Amino acid sequence: MTESRNVVIVTGIPGVGKTTVINTAVEQVKERHGEDVLILTFGTEMFEVASKAGHVKDRDELRKMPTSLQRETQRQAGAAIAEKSKSAKVIVDTHTLIQTNNGYLIGLPEWVVTAINPKTMVLIEADSEKIANRRTGDESRTRDAQAVTDIQIHQEMCRAAAVAVGTITGATVRIIKNREGLVEEAASELADTLME
Ligand code: ATP
Ligand code: MG
């Protein structure tokens, strides 16, 4: 018997355009195939799990929970996503690496991706300079060269993180370029992945 995998995880650094591309892809799937896709945000799933258990009242309390409880909440959020994917195609909008003062925090540790069991790990990428522009929302700004270099390194690290998820789960890894002004093109590739 072949297993059915219904989850596509979409990652990429902040400001690369994940949410924009996801929303457009979901519209395309609805138009072209008449199918609904459930969009889940990992942080929201974690909050739902933790608030139901009475651990937190608002999202800001999540990161103040003891780390052992945070890890357990991550795992349960993964299980909740897996449960929801039994009856629908699901996209998970999340980050694989979160920049902290003490290096990158792993957004999708082994016990989380094992619970989710994704079909495909999508990594949205864009030109680092364009990302800097998208973040500031000002095309004419004089940019800090170091910041652009950091963006580039973060994107390279996200490739490694995406491959790690593929290695653990057997998910395919797909890089989608979100070119300036061409969201529809990137979305079309994501829609194909969803319908594959
Ligand atoms: P975060 O991780 O912080 O949630 P994100 O990856 O979801 O970020 P978005 O919020 O989708 O990023 O996009 C960031 C900004 O870039 C938005 O203003 C969006 O309109 C713009 N943007 C996204 N894709 C493109 C594109 N292809 N061309 C030009 N602008 C874009
Ligand atoms: Mg977003």
Side-chain angles (χ1 to χ4, degrees), residues 146-159:
Q146 184 60 42
V148 172
T149 311
D150 284 347
I151 288 172
Q152 190 142 5
I153 292 167
H154 194 171
Q155 290 210 95
E156 284 163 13
M157 291 293 290
C158 283
R159 284 190 176 189

Side-chain angles (χ1 to χ4, degrees), residues 157-179:
M157 291 293 290
C158 283
R159 284 190 176 189
V163 170
V165 171
T167 304
I168 292 167
T169 62
T172 55
V173 178
R174 183 169 192 172
I175 294 178
I176 297 179
K177 297 283 179 205
N178 181 22
R179 296 189 173 83

Side-chain angles (χ1 to χ4, degrees), residues 47-115:
F47 176 66
E48 267 181 25
V49 165
S51 62
K52 262 188 207 149
H55 298 308
V56 297
K57 289 193 193 62
D58 66 63
R59 289 170 77 98
D60 290 326
E61 288 178 285
L62 274 179
R63 62 176 182 275
K64 293 173 194 155
M65 297 191 309
T67 43
S68 59
L69 188 53
Q70 290 197 42
R71 276 194 288 270
E72 175 58 18
T73 305
Q74 275 183 317
R75 194 191 61 73
Q76 288 180 14
I81 290 168
E83 190 59 34
K84 289 177 186 179
S85 76
K86 284 183 181 164
S87 51
K89 286 187 191 298
V90 168
I91 287 188
V92 180
D93 184 341
T94 190
H95 300 104
T96 45
L97 299 171
I98 299 108
Q99 241 160 355
T100 77
N101 291 336
N102 189 27
Y104 294 109
L105 177 76
I106 306 300
L108 293 173
E110 181 273 329
W111 62 89
V112 173
V113 282
T114 300

